[in-house]
Amino acid sequence: MAEVRLDAVSKHFGTGEAAVTAIAEMSLTIGDGELVILLGPTGAGKTTTLRLIAGLEKPDAGRVSIGGRDVTGVNPAERDVAFVFQQYSLYPHLSVYDNLAFPLRSPARRVPEAEIRRKVGEVARLLRIEDKLNNRATHLSGGQMQRVAIGRALVRRPAIYLMDEPLSSLDAKLRSDLRLELKRIQQELGATILYVTHDQIEAMTMGSRIGVIDRGRLVQVGTPREIYENPVDLHVAQRLGQPGINLVPRALLPEVPAPPGAHTIGARTEHVRIARAGHADGVGLVRWIERLGDQNHLHVTLRGQDLVTLGEPDSDLSVGDRVGVEFLRPLYFDAAGRRIAAGA
Ligand SMILES: Nc1ncnc2c1ncn2[C@@H]1O[C@H](COP(=O)(O)OP(=O)(O)OP(=O)(O)O)[C@@H](O)[C@H]1O
Ligand SMILES: [Mg+2]
C-alpha cells in the first residue's frame, strides 16, 4: 500500500453565478497503512475528494500523489485505487464467489484461478461470509450484500481503498458491528484507507485521524481525541459528541472565569456537573430526565438556557428540582466562533 497526498487541491463545478467551490485548497496526507476519516455534512465535498484521488475528477489546481508519484494527470485505470461506493452494486446474476473474484478476473490482471480461490477465501473469512459463497448475490440480506461489496475491493491490494459511506444504508446494529470489523480488517491487512462519512460515531471509533470538512475546506485534522478535546472552532466542536456540546453565551455565566474576547462558553455533557455544595457556577431547574440504562441525561434549564448533563443512574433527582451546575474544563469561543485558549 502507499502514502497518498493532496497538495492544495481545488475543484469547482459550473461557471459564473452557478459556480460551486466543491473543494478549496485541500492538503491532506494519508499515511501508508493509515485509516483516515473525512467527516462532514452533506455537500461538504467528501465524495468529490475521493473522486479526485481516484482520477474520476480533475482538479482545477493542486496535485494528487500516490506512493510519491504525481498522478494528477494520470488515468483512473492507472492509479491503483479501489473504490467502495455508498450504494453497493453487485452483479445480481453471479454468485457471491464470482462477485468477489470479478476484479481479479479482468484480462489485464491475469490472476491464476488457484490464486483467485485463495484470495476470495481469505476475504470471505475476513468478512465472515464463507458460508455464502455459493449464494446468488441477490439472495443476501443488505448487510451481507454490503460485505460482498467491501470484499470486492479487499480482494485487490491497491495503493489505497477509497470508501464512500459504505455503511450508511445499514441499520444501526449492523453498522456498529461492521465498523468494528472494518477496523479490525484494516489493522490485519495494514491497509491504507480514506473513508468518508457524516457519522461522527464512525469517525470517532474507526479513524486513526479525522479530517473535518466543511463547505470544501478542511477545517481541522487530528486524532479523534484531539478533535474532540481541542476543536479549533464552534463548527468542529458541534460536529462531535452525542448529545452535542452545550453552548452558553458568556454573558449568561459571569461567575465562570473566561479569557477576554470570550463570547460563547462550551461544555461537553460530561463536563457539566451537578455541583457539590459551594461549587455551583449557577442554579438551574431539572426539566427532564432521559434514562438510558447505564447513565442518565439530565436536561437542566439555567437562566433560560437548556443544558444537558450526565447524571448517575441511581440519582434521586426529579423533574422540577433546583440544582447547582458546575462547569469543568470549559471551552471558549470568540464572536466569530474561533476557539480562544483558556489562558489567553
Ligand atoms: N458533477 C457535479 N456537478 C456540479 N456540482 C457538483 C458535482 N458534483 C458535486 N457537486 C457539488 O459539489 C459539492 C460537494 O459535493 P459532494 O458530492 O462532494 O458532497 P458530499 O460531501 O459527498 O455530500 P453527501 O454527504 O451528500 O454525499 C456540492 O455542492 C455538490 O452539489
Ligand atoms: Mg457523497
Side-chain angles (χ1 to χ4, degrees), residues 42-95:
T42 184
K46 303 183 296 296
T47 298
T48 304
T49 306
L50 297 185
R51 291 175 58 83
L52 284 162
I53 295 173
L56 302 170
E57 302 287 354
K58 207 180 156 325
D60 303 324
R63 265 185 338 156
V64 179
S65 40
I66 299 181
R69 165 177 171 236
D70 185 343
V71 295
T72 315
V74 172
N75 284 330
E78 288 150 37
R79 288 199 185 191
D80 194 23
V81 307
F83 214 126
V84 181
F85 296 96
Q86 183 168 351
Q87 287 307 326
Y88 36 84
S89 47
L90 303 180
Y91 299 105
H93 56 288
L94 296 182
S95 66

Side-chain angles (χ1 to χ4, degrees), residues 19-35:
V20 176
T21 303
I23 299 296
E25 293 178 29
M26 185 184 293
S27 294
L28 176 69
T29 301
I30 301 111
D32 189 4
E34 197 181 17
L35 196 175

Side-chain angles (χ1 to χ4, degrees), residues 171-317:
D171 70 50
K173 171 77 173 78
L174 256 174
R175 286 175 81 129
S176 71
D177 289 351
L178 264 181
R179 67 175 183 249
L180 288 177
E181 283 184 41
L182 256 182
K183 179 76 190 167
R184 171 182 60 79
I185 291 167
Q186 185 261 337
Q187 288 174 340
E188 196 167 318
L189 298 178
T192 309
I193 301 181
L194 181 59
Y195 182 110
V196 311
T197 182
H198 61 264
D199 180 334
Q200 52 142 341
I201 312 256
E202 278 178 19
M204 288 295 286
T205 55
M206 292 176 71
S208 31
R209 283 187 306 145
I210 299 174
V212 181
I213 179 174
D214 181 35
R215 285 166 289 174
R217 292 186 183 278
L218 202 53
V219 189
Q220 187 172 3
V221 182
T223 64
R225 192 162 167 189
E226 280 162 7
I227 303 266
Y228 184 81
E229 291 183 356
N230 269 316
V232 294
D233 64 18
L234 271 177
H235 167 82
V236 176
Q238 287 176 285
R239 274 229 69 85
L240 294 178
Q242 182 65 255
I245 188 167
N246 293 292
L247 297 174
V248 185
R250 195 282 177 270
L252 267 189
L253 291 173
E255 301 87 340
V256 177
H263 185 264
T264 305
I265 295 183
R268 298 214 176 267
T269 312
E270 64 274 25
H271 296 148
V272 179
R273 291 267 176 86
I274 300 306
R276 291 160 292 146
H279 283 75
D281 294 309
V283 174
L285 199 66
V286 178
R287 295 293 294 269
W288 180 33
I289 302 176
E290 210 177 343
R291 297 185 195 281
L292 301 172
D294 56 337
Q295 61 190 29
N296 289 344
H297 288 155
L298 293 182
H299 296 248
V300 175
T301 304
L302 177 75
R303 298 168 195 159
Q305 176 86 30
D306 289 327
L307 302 172
V308 185
T309 78
L310 275 189
E312 297 296 326
D314 53 359
S315 105
D316 50 10
L317 285 174

Side-chain angles (χ1 to χ4, degrees), residues 5 7 9 86 115 150 164 186:
R5 268 182 71 167
D7 279 306
V9 170
Q86 183 168 351
E115 177 68 5
I150 292 168
D164 194 352
Q186 185 261 337

Side-chain angles (χ1 to χ4, degrees), residues 323-336:
V323 287
V325 177
E326 183 182 4
F327 292 83
L328 309 170
R329 295 168 55 186
L331 303 176
Y332 309 103
F333 302 92
D334 69 13

